[in-house]
Amino acid sequence: MSEIMERMTSKEYKLLLQMYKVQAEMPDGRKYVPVSQRELSDILGISSMTVNSYYKYFVENGLIKPFEDKKSRYTLTEKAITLLDSFENARSIEKEN
């Protein structure tokens, strides 16, 4: 996990965090990211090519996976949520000091 944390740039982190924030919840409790890569690129002010390369990295490293086997919808994995929690905890500690 530390290797992934080292790789995460501020843009990568911001994208993963934005994906987490915009998740929609299904009636059965499952969550997915209902926003397209293009919409995320517009929200974050980065190119859609950059977002696409980050998505590939996230999939390859088990941070996101297709939702219901659909290529255009993704869900965050427990690994991604743990990583985001670790970053948030580190930021909280940094703010305290």
Side-chain angles (χ1 to χ4, degrees):
M1 180 94 67
S2 64
E3 188 176 311
I4 294 172
M5 288 181 78
E6 288 175 17
R7 162 86 197 259
M8 296 290 282
T9 66
S10 62
K11 288 180 185 176
E12 290 168 315
Y13 170 73
K14 286 179 183 178
L15 174 58
L16 196 61
L17 183 61
Q18 187 65 36
M19 292 172 73
Y20 177 80
K21 288 179 179 180
V22 300
Q23 291 180 103
E25 188 168 344
M26 300 289 289
D28 63 7
R30 292 178 300 147
K31 295 181 181 180
Y32 71 101
V33 179
V35 180
S36 71
Q37 290 184 31
R38 165 75 66 200
E39 291 169 313
L40 286 167
S41 71
D42 290 342
I43 291 167
L44 297 171
I46 56 179
S47 75
S48 55
M49 286 177 53
T50 299
V51 170
N52 185 267
S53 70
Y54 290 164
Y55 263 58
K56 287 178 184 176
Y57 176 78
F58 293 162
V59 169
E60 289 168 1
N61 286 279
L63 299 173
I64 64 173
K65 62 184 180 182
F67 181 73
E68 296 183 342
D69 296 323
K70 295 181 181 177
K71 290 185 178 182
S72 61
R73 297 289 179 235
Y74 289 85
T75 185
L76 276 70
T77 64
E78 283 300 316
K79 186 175 181 179
I81 294 167
T82 300
L83 183 66
L84 289 169
D85 286 343
S86 296
F87 271 106
E88 289 304 308
N89 288 338
R91 289 178 69 192
S92 295
I93 291 169
E94 187 176 290
K95 286 181 182 179
E96 290 174 6
N97 293 329

